[in-house]
Amino acid sequence: MNPWLPTSPCTPGHCARHHAPAAGRARTVARLATGVLTVLAGLLCAPLTLPLGRPARRCLTRLWCRAVIRAFGVRVRVRGAAGDGGAQLVVANHVSWLDIPLVAAVLPGRMLAKSEVRHWPVLGPLAARGGTFFLDRGRLRALPGTVRDLAAALRGGARVVVFPEGSTWCGRAGGRFRPAVFQAALDANVPVRPVRIRYEPAGPAAFVGDDPLIASLWRVAAVRDLTAEIRILPPVPAGRHTDRRSLARAAEHAVAPARVPAHVSVPARVPSPRGTAAPGRPAHTAVASDSANRPSPSVHQCASSIPASASSRRTPS
């Protein structure tokens, strides 16, 4: 992997284990089949929504995403109000592939995804038609152009959704918000809307490390009572922060309290290898991802002296 890409120390063996009541094999298989059919139905019907206006498409997107989540046996709990549909940068912590339909069910908008998603069968073309932004995470030189595209969309009145941690975490702990994407909100002079995602129980939903997608799908469907909570927090108004670093920290602190319980040991944060970025040089942005991220060797260790190689790798910030 590119050493500059953010990763988390979470692994399926340590973070996805749980003792929640099982739904039973027959119900699990039924949920998986229903979930897949619901996804396929949405994909087949998506072209029919293209002539519709933005409000109608957003409404249908919310309904479809809620149907997908419920098909897998997951209950949704929404806290807070979404407000109007004006332009804003929505930023959320990243736990699972479930985060994407969960956010889209409440705050549908144009998402930022890694470039590999564009080439996925069926889902890639659908994501492209839906206005998804694609970023080649291995090319830092592509980052300024992506930030400009995000800013242009925000100026045009769009809602843009990103996961600034740049990597999935288990939800018991979380990573730093990478600041580059927040420059788009500053350039477009729009508010930032922090969103906190939490799952009960926490383990089954975590899609981390080298966890195969099919294993994660089965684990989610196999839980008898899995609840996804999305808490819409007050927006950070445009103009309150004048630089992307302080804006990113404000959003991170808003999301963090319920994400890092006091009894959980989390890895020490390793400073950026260059400390402060050079003036005018953008930081690496986060990417909305449908796949788990390869973990570093440490798993929720609390040791301030661990070397960078044993902790989450950090991008220039």
Side-chain angles (χ1 to χ4, degrees):
M1 289 187 65
N2 188 322
W4 295 111
L5 293 181
T7 59
S8 79
C10 303
T11 62
H14 288 80
C15 302
R17 291 184 300 182
H18 63 96
H19 304 286
R25 189 174 187 85
R27 179 173 292 184
T28 300
V29 173
R31 285 177 173 176
L32 283 174
T34 304
V36 171
L37 290 175
T38 304
V39 171
L40 291 177
L43 296 178
L44 293 174
C45 295
L48 302 178
T49 67
L50 294 179
L52 302 178
R54 181 184 295 177
R57 288 199 302 270
R58 282 188 172 181
C59 180
L60 291 174
T61 298
R62 287 196 297 266
L63 294 175
W64 177 49
C65 289
R66 280 183 175 268
V68 170
I69 295 171
R70 287 297 296 133
F72 280 98
V74 182
R75 297 175 180 173
V76 177
R77 185 165 60 220
V78 181
R79 306 291 191 193
D84 59 28
Q88 59 182 342
L89 181 69
V90 177
V91 295
N93 57 306
H94 205 6
V95 179
S96 172
W97 56 269
L98 276 168
D99 301 344
I100 296 171
L102 179 62
V103 174
V106 182
L107 293 167
R110 300 182 64 179
M111 290 198 173
L112 179 64
K114 60 184 181 180
S115 58
E116 292 87 342
V117 174
R118 187 194 294 270
H119 306 292
W120 288 1
V122 183
L123 292 178
L126 179 66
R129 286 199 301 268
T132 299
F133 297 98
F134 297 101
L135 173 67
D136 185 349
R137 297 190 299 171
R139 293 179 59 243
L140 285 177
R141 274 184 269 183
L143 181 58
T146 300
V147 172
R148 286 194 296 269
D149 292 342
L150 297 179
L154 291 168
R155 290 192 194 97
R159 178 188 288 140
V160 176
V161 181
V162 298
F163 299 96
E165 289 168 310
S167 177
T168 49
W169 289 67
C170 66
R172 299 180 180 92
R176 294 184 60 184
F177 279 11
R178 314 314 300 171
V181 72
F182 290 88
Q183 186 63 46
L186 293 175
D187 293 344
N189 195 34
V190 299
V192 171
R193 172 76 72 170
V195 170
R196 182 185 304 150
I197 296 174
R198 186 168 66 94
Y199 295 93
E200 297 177 358
F207 185 38
V208 295
D210 55 359
D211 199 14
L213 178 59
I214 187 62
S216 179
L217 292 171
W218 179 271
R219 193 167 57 244
V220 167
V223 180
R224 183 181 300 176
D225 296 305
L226 178 59
T227 299
E229 179 183 286
I230 177 169
R231 184 176 293 271
I232 305 170
L233 301 166
V236 181
R240 176 173 293 181
H241 297 273
T242 58
D243 66 278
R244 62 177 182 259
R245 293 177 185 277
S246 60
L247 183 56
R249 295 291 80 79
E252 178 186 331
H253 292 328
V255 172
R259 189 181 61 190
V260 187
H263 65 279
V264 175
S265 296
V266 299
R269 291 180 177 175
V270 179
S272 169
R274 299 196 180 191
T276 303
R281 179 177 179 178
H284 190 61
T285 190
V287 178
S289 170
D290 283 284
S291 63
N293 296 271
R294 187 183 303 278
S296 58
S298 64
V299 180
H300 296 327
Q301 294 175 345
C302 185
S304 60
S305 60
I306 57 176
S309 61
S311 181
S312 298
R313 296 184 180 91
R314 300 298 180 193
T315 60
S317 57

